[in-house]
Amino acid sequence: MKNNLYYPQISLSNEEIFSEIKKERESIGYYSLPHVDITDLKIRLDNLNFTQKQIAIIGIGGSTLGTYAIYNFMKYNKQHSKTLKKELFFFESTDPVNLNGTISQLNLEDTLFIVISKSGTTIETISIFKYLMSIIKIDKSNLLVITEHDSKLNTFATTNDINSFEIPKDVGGRFSVLSNVGLVPLYLAGFNIDELLRSAKKISTSFFEQHELYDHLIKKARTYYEFKDVYNINAIFSYSQLLEGFNKWYVQLWGESLGKIDINNTNQGLTPIGLLGPVDQHSFLQLIVEGKSDKTLTFIKIKDFKDDTKIAPITLAGLEDLDYINNLNFKELINQQADATIASVKECKKDIPIDIIEIENISEYEIGKLLFYYELLTSIVGKFLRINTYDQPGVEGGKIILKEMLKK
């Protein structure tokens, strides 16, 4: 006779979850990043005096996605377009066509290369780095390394007198954007990294000192946990192309952190989906409205794009009925599209959880808040699920198999 008993998870109180998260700060390093004094980091970077106009970041996953999220959000900001010192390019994929296509956009003689790998042995990163070294001379004059202090990549940097910046061992890759992983390239490019940290610190303080974000984050995380078997898909609907990078970062953060086996040896996981409005109104919205009710929705809007571009007051033959959009600001149009979508979903799907995040403007301060908000939310959901939020054995298994295949 075979008898299997499956014990239900015990739903902990808000106070117990909060106590565990506070305790976790002693061993999980990302919590402390907003509080780090970066004065010495900025002085060191200023003294390096790199003059290259382009930066090529070589990395993958947590080594690049956070930086890309911030860069993609900020790069068209009119204020920053005048002050940015360098343009960023990202080498993440071993797709040879994409690799050479990205290279074709660079002036290799005027490029600073930054290799980022926490372990220092990431196959994709080292493969791309080797190829770039074969077509352009790369040395301490045009190269920085960001890695753990005892990695093989750091040994390479030390041997060749190349400047290296440390990734703390207690900071996981997907939680590392506010470490040297993101701060070094963003500062060199001309972004205000003090504002990134200041806003993240505000989020941290609000939660840990139990101000307005405490109840909000705990309630949101508990909702995801208690309804996980009904609403197993968490979709972010970002109403701006500027948030495309954030969506990609969120998908890695949520998927790699929460897809785990819990303390009862039960498979857990909440599937992340990143959508962009208004584009995905014309595709995925159909599935949301008339498909299965298995998704929660978070809409993200930008309150003020600080761009007054208007729809031209032109009458088109045969399209006179659309003249009501003439002279409408595009920033008003996109936010009304968001509001209409939200209203439509609420009307058709009264049973699914919906929340709205409104970003004030396009700035380092606002994107810093959003990133740290989601890192905290991920950690809290992980506590409810009774999983290890910070490992990734499923990913590591694939890496091991790949190395065995390549060695053969």
Side-chain angles (χ1 to χ4, degrees):
M1 184 179 74
K2 186 177 182 180
N3 180 213
N4 292 324
L5 295 178
Y6 296 95
Y7 296 96
Q9 294 182 3
I10 299 173
S11 182
L12 299 178
S13 69
N14 292 351
E15 292 74 18
E16 289 171 315
I17 291 293
F18 184 58
S19 178
E20 290 190 7
I21 288 290
K22 287 196 296 182
K23 179 68 175 176
E24 194 172 79
R25 289 188 295 179
E26 299 174 9
S27 58
I28 303 301
Y30 92 85
Y31 290 108
S32 65
L33 294 178
H35 306 275
V36 172
D37 185 347
I38 57 172
T39 303
D40 290 341
L41 172 64
K42 292 189 293 183
I43 291 173
R44 182 183 173 191
L45 289 170
D46 288 338
N47 288 337
L48 292 177
N49 197 29
F50 286 113
T51 60
Q52 292 89 347
K53 297 298 183 185
Q54 297 175 315
I55 294 178
I57 299 177
I58 308 162
I60 195 170
S63 296
T64 55
L65 286 175
T67 304
Y68 176 72
I70 296 169
Y71 181 67
N72 191 70
F73 184 70
M74 295 293 301
K75 65 182 179 180
Y76 295 125
N77 183 296
K78 291 182 178 179
Q79 178 183 350
H80 283 78
S81 64
K82 299 176 183 177
T83 59
L84 285 185
K85 303 173 185 176
K86 306 179 193 296
E87 187 177 8
L88 299 185
F89 294 84
F90 295 85
F91 287 88
E92 302 170 293
S93 174
T94 51
D95 175 341
V97 176
N98 177 268
L99 172 61
N100 285 302
T102 305
I103 290 173
S104 70
Q105 300 176 57
L106 295 172
N107 177 357
L108 293 175
E109 301 291 342
D110 196 23
T111 298
L112 171 66
F113 298 91
I114 301 180
V115 181
I116 306 175
S117 171
K118 183 172 169 61
S119 68
T121 57
T122 309
I123 291 293
E124 295 87 351
T125 302
I126 302 304
S127 299
I128 295 169
F129 182 42
K130 283 187 173 187
Y131 178 65
L132 288 168
M133 289 191 74
S134 73
I135 61 176
I136 184 70
K137 182 179 179 181
I138 299 178
D139 56 25
K140 64 180 182 180
S141 68
N142 63 350
L143 175 64
L144 291 179
V145 165
I146 303 175
T147 187
E148 289 185 344
H149 73 90
D150 58 353
S151 75
K152 293 180 179 179
L153 182 58
N154 195 51
T155 300
F156 164 82
T158 302
T159 302
N160 292 279
D161 194 28
I162 293 163
N163 281 285
S164 180
F165 293 82
E166 183 180 354
I167 304 174
K169 279 190 174 294
D170 60 1
V171 176
R174 58 189 177 274
F175 289 87
S176 67
V177 61
L178 298 179
S179 73
N180 287 331
V181 168
L183 298 183
V184 168
L186 289 168
Y187 181 75
L188 290 173
F191 290 99
N192 189 336
I193 59 176
D194 292 281
E195 284 293 281
L196 284 173
L197 296 183
R198 186 172 75 88
S199 63
K201 184 177 180 180
K202 181 174 182 179
I203 295 293
S204 176
T205 300
S206 181
F207 176 73
F208 284 108
E209 294 187 4
Q210 294 183 276
H211 297 159
E212 67 273 11
L213 269 183
Y214 169 76
D215 287 334
H216 169 87
L217 282 169
I218 291 286
K219 180 179 179 181
K220 188 170 180 176
R222 181 177 287 280
T223 298
Y224 286 147
Y225 163 70
E226 293 186 346
F227 291 92
K228 62 185 173 65
D229 294 325
V230 179
Y231 307 113
N232 188 248
I233 299 172
N234 306 132
I236 281 182
F237 218 138
S238 298
Y239 268 77
S240 173
Q241 291 294 129
L242 304 180
L243 289 165
E244 178 186 13
F246 168 78
N247 282 9
K248 292 180 178 180
W249 173 84
Y250 153 75
V251 166
Q252 186 204 12
L253 177 73
W254 203 251
E256 197 172 3
S257 297
L258 302 181
K260 301 290 174 61
I261 298 174
D262 67 15
I263 58 175
N264 294 320
N265 203 34
T266 302
N267 297 94
Q268 299 291 347
L270 296 167
T271 302
I273 295 177
L275 305 171
L276 288 173
V279 176
D280 289 322
Q281 284 179 204
H282 298 268
S283 55
F284 205 90
L285 183 59
Q286 175 64 37
L287 179 63
I288 292 171
V289 172
E290 294 194 343
K292 187 176 180 180
S293 295
D294 55 359
K295 292 168 278 293
T296 65
L297 290 174
T298 296
F299 290 89
I300 304 180
K301 299 169 58 181
I302 298 175
K303 184 176 181 180
D304 187 358
F305 285 81
K306 296 191 182 300
D307 187 311
D308 295 323
T309 303
K310 293 184 177 183
I311 300 170
I314 298 172
T315 298
L316 301 176
L319 296 173
E320 293 87 355
D321 289 347
L322 290 176
D323 279 358
Y324 61 84
I325 64 174
N326 288 357
N327 290 312
L328 180 67
N329 286 334
F330 276 97
K331 64 183 181 183
E332 295 173 0
L333 173 60
I334 194 169
N335 278 329
Q336 288 187 33
Q337 287 172 307
D339 293 340
T341 301
I342 294 167
S344 172
V345 173
K346 284 182 176 179
E347 180 179 339
C348 298
K349 292 283 189 179
K350 295 181 173 63
D351 56 335
I352 68 172
I354 296 175
D355 68 311
I356 303 168
I357 296 174
E358 189 170 62
I359 298 172
E360 287 294 321
N361 51 52
I362 302 166
S363 64
E364 292 97 338
Y365 187 78
E366 291 299 315
I367 191 65
K369 283 197 298 185
L370 186 63
L371 292 168
F372 200 77
Y373 169 95
Y374 264 94
E375 288 180 342
L376 266 182
L377 179 63
T378 301
S379 293
I380 301 167
V381 173
K383 283 299 177 189
F384 275 114
L385 291 174
R386 315 313 290 161
I387 61 172
N388 182 345
T389 308
Y390 307 102
D391 66 355
Q392 50 277 333
V395 174
E396 295 304 322
K399 291 180 181 178
I400 293 170
I401 294 171
L402 174 62
K403 287 181 181 179
E404 292 174 351
M405 291 172 62
L406 292 174
K407 287 180 179 179
K408 289 181 181 179

